[in-house]
Amino acid sequence: MENKIKRDTALINLVSDFENKFEQGEVGYLDEKIYLQLLEYYEDEYLFEKALEVVEFAMEQYKYRSDFYIIKARLLLNLNKTNDCLSTLEIAENIAPFEREISIIKVRAFALKKQFSKAQEILDELRIGATKTDFTEILIAESFIYEHMKDYNAMYDALSKAVLLDSSNEEAMERVWISAELSRRYEDSVNLHKLIIEKDPYNYQAWYNLGHGYNCIWEYEKAIDALEYSFIVNPDFESAYLDCADTCLQIKDYERALEIYIEANSKFGPNNELMVNIAHCYIYMDRISIAKQWLLKSIKLDAFNDEAFFLLGECYSRDQVWYNAINAYHKAIDIENRREEYYLGIAKAYLAVEDYNKATINFQMATQTGPEETLYWKEYICFLIKISLLDEALQVLDEAEDHTYGADLLFCRAVVYYLQKNKRDCMDLLEEALLENFDQHTIMFEIAPELKLDKDIASIIKYFSDEEHLI
């Protein structure tokens, strides 16, 4: 779980200055505190290769500072270079033989190598004379052993003890939620974080984890409130804004999601991805002209944002400006050609301008790109039925059966049988489809409205409707 925190401007300037000097080969002498700041930044941003370059500079200047060897070992471990990590730790141990963090990293390295007994042996030694802070780190290290053993319940138990000992430990707080997801102990996680919040009501990570816990047990309103508290407590915690807004979208509270996205863009932006999210909200709210403005702003910031072009195509489609829509969809596909919804958008646009050949090509591309999704097959089949290519529609239905299954496709096949005057097979299939998903039966009337006038079809739908009300 990557938790985004807004960076201090001075730190951003420091990083920028270092990178300029690095590119020019003029890094020169730097104070060790500056190196530590740079390394913390790159680690937090998961830029481990870059951090390795920085730590090498630091080690050249400060050959006997164990801190830099320990950081290098940690970076190597994050890159799964366990043997190099252990070799670096040997050097660090010669410089600082009693440094506990060396042993902690060793535990993680041996866990990654699946040498669990060796890792546990080191932990047992660390427990002797350990302080409260030491025990938190020991429990975090132990959680790595259980994680690589795939014993996720034990992993969660170790981390829940760690956060109860020290809920200010960021790594423990991040990992306890990972373990809750892996072990699916969502209820336990909710109760744990409520307990932490009782003792520490300003713990933004506890509110954040609580929000995710509520999300996983479908208590979305509580999730939104918890995630909102997280960024109220820590206004620089970008992930909380984004996840809170995403949860608002899940319950179709578009206005609240929009408000949060705009606040985040104002605070962390301008950000083209946030602008796309803002536009998406406006589209949901049917405020198409404002959505287009935000999308054009986003494209101005990043001309290779495929989703921005796709949504622009959707806006033009809503306004029925079809050739503009086609142009926008093409740009989206040129940037990213593995998104089935992009092909569906352009297929529908070509259908609207009666270019059936290009519509066919793009409906096919949509089904090939997302063959497991019934929606794309259904849309393609509906198109073929509407242009009276019934045999071709059956062929596509047969092909779809090799990849997916759904009531919507059963209803489509029933319509084809009806239009081919094969009433018996139509009624048999209709019964199966109604049993599978009664609510989708309106698909038939969207494709062929004349089916509403058929008494047999009306009768079987009424029968299943009565059955639905009895359940």
Side-chain angles (χ1 to χ4, degrees), residues 411-426:
F411 284 117
C412 287
R413 190 180 285 272
V415 170
V416 175
Y417 287 153
Y418 184 90
L419 296 174
Q420 288 183 328
K421 313 297 183 189
N422 184 352
K423 186 77 173 285
R424 175 180 287 183
D425 285 349
C426 167

Side-chain angles (χ1 to χ4, degrees), residues 223-466:
I224 290 165
D225 288 342
L227 291 166
E228 192 169 31
Y229 276 124
S230 181
F231 67 74
I232 287 170
V233 172
N234 182 357
D236 292 332
F237 189 27
E238 187 178 353
S239 294
Y241 290 85
L242 302 181
D243 295 346
C244 187
D246 287 349
T247 307
C248 290
L249 291 181
Q250 281 186 270
I251 62 168
K252 300 183 179 179
D253 189 345
Y254 304 125
E255 287 193 14
R256 196 169 177 188
L258 177 63
E259 187 182 311
I260 295 165
Y261 282 135
I262 288 174
E263 186 180 346
N265 189 59
S266 173
K267 189 164 189 64
F268 305 106
N271 179 302
N272 67 294
E273 289 182 16
L274 284 169
M275 288 176 174
V276 167
N277 290 336
I278 290 165
H280 223 143
C281 290
Y282 279 121
I283 291 168
Y284 284 130
M285 295 160 70
D286 207 28
R287 297 170 68 180
I288 303 303
S289 61
I290 301 176
K292 279 193 280 191
Q293 289 171 27
W294 280 97
L295 290 167
L296 291 168
K297 284 182 192 175
S298 171
I299 289 164
K300 196 172 180 180
L301 276 180
D302 179 7
F304 296 95
N305 188 325
D306 54 289
E307 193 173 358
F309 280 112
F310 167 68
L311 290 177
L312 191 60
E314 296 285 277
C315 288
Y316 285 126
S317 290
R318 292 276 191 101
D319 289 340
Q320 298 186 1
V321 185
W322 297 113
Y323 287 104
N324 283 7
I326 288 166
N327 184 46
Y329 289 132
H330 268 304
K331 286 180 178 176
I333 291 166
D334 286 343
I335 297 164
E336 174 51 73
N337 63 4
R338 297 300 302 166
R339 293 283 291 273
E340 51 269 27
E341 65 268 38
Y342 295 1
Y343 292 108
L344 179 61
I346 198 169
K348 286 182 169 182
Y350 277 125
L351 173 57
V353 298
E354 299 183 1
D355 190 336
Y356 298 143
N357 286 334
K358 287 181 180 174
T360 301
I361 291 165
N362 284 287
F363 276 122
Q364 287 173 341
M365 286 300 298
T367 58
Q368 288 170 22
T369 310
E372 69 289 344
E373 294 287 340
T374 60
L375 168 68
Y376 303 104
W377 295 101
K378 183 205 81 173
E379 292 287 349
Y380 185 16
I381 293 153
C382 289
F383 158 68
L384 292 170
I385 294 169
K386 284 177 180 176
I387 61 172
S388 301
L389 296 176
L390 300 180
D391 291 339
E392 287 83 350
L394 281 179
Q395 287 174 14
V396 173
L397 278 161
D398 291 341
E399 186 184 349
E401 284 182 357
D402 294 335
H403 301 282
T404 189
Y405 174 83
D408 49 354
L409 299 184
L410 296 176
F411 284 117
C412 287
R413 190 180 285 272
V415 170
V416 175
Y417 287 153
Y418 184 90
L419 296 174
Q420 288 183 328
K421 313 297 183 189
N422 184 352
K423 186 77 173 285
R424 175 180 287 183
D425 285 349
C426 167
M427 295 305 291
D428 289 345
L429 202 60
L430 183 53
E431 183 178 357
E432 183 184 342
L434 289 165
L435 279 166
E436 182 70 27
N437 190 329
F438 174 82
D439 292 337
Q440 288 189 333
H441 76 273
T442 54
I443 290 168
M444 297 189 303
F445 306 135
E446 292 166 16
I447 304 169
E450 63 267 33
L451 268 68
K452 283 185 179 180
L453 304 174
D454 188 285
K455 290 180 181 177
D456 294 329
I457 289 174
S459 176
I460 193 171
I461 287 172
K462 185 178 185 306
Y463 172 77
F464 278 95
S465 175
D466 293 340

Side-chain angles (χ1 to χ4, degrees), residues 74-202:
R74 192 166 65 230
L75 293 167
L76 290 165
L77 187 62
N78 284 325
L79 292 165
N80 293 328
K81 297 179 179 179
T82 49
N83 291 332
D84 290 343
C85 166
L86 289 166
S87 299
T88 304
L89 288 173
E90 280 183 29
I91 301 168
E93 211 161 19
N94 288 331
I95 299 167
F98 303 109
E99 178 59 64
R100 295 179 72 87
E101 193 176 353
I102 294 170
S103 298
I104 290 288
I105 299 171
K106 271 188 184 179
V107 171
R108 298 186 186 195
F110 286 127
L112 196 59
K113 286 166 72 73
K114 301 195 183 300
Q115 295 180 17
F116 303 123
S117 57
K118 209 166 186 177
Q120 197 65 58
E121 195 178 302
I122 297 168
L123 275 186
D124 291 340
E125 290 173 10
L126 283 170
R127 284 192 174 93
I128 300 165
T131 64
K132 181 181 172 182
T133 306
D134 293 335
F135 264 114
T136 304
E137 295 298 332
I138 288 165
L139 287 163
I140 296 169
E142 188 173 33
S143 77
F144 279 91
I145 298 174
Y146 293 131
E147 182 179 7
H148 291 292
M149 289 173 71
K150 299 191 186 314
D151 187 347
Y152 301 127
N153 278 311
M155 178 189 176
Y156 176 84
D157 289 337
L159 288 162
S160 61
K161 288 175 190 172
V163 294
L164 287 172
L165 274 175
D166 182 8
S167 61
S168 67
N169 186 299
E170 290 185 9
E171 185 179 18
M173 291 298 290
E174 285 185 16
R175 283 185 58 76
V176 75
W177 172 245
I178 293 169
S179 70
E181 284 192 296
L182 291 170
S183 61
R184 300 183 183 277
R185 289 172 67 174
Y186 307 124
E187 291 275 6
D188 288 345
S189 178
V190 165
N191 292 329
L192 172 68
H193 287 93
K194 282 164 76 175
L195 189 63
I196 291 168
I197 288 163
E198 279 178 26
K199 297 176 183 176
D200 182 8
Y202 296 102

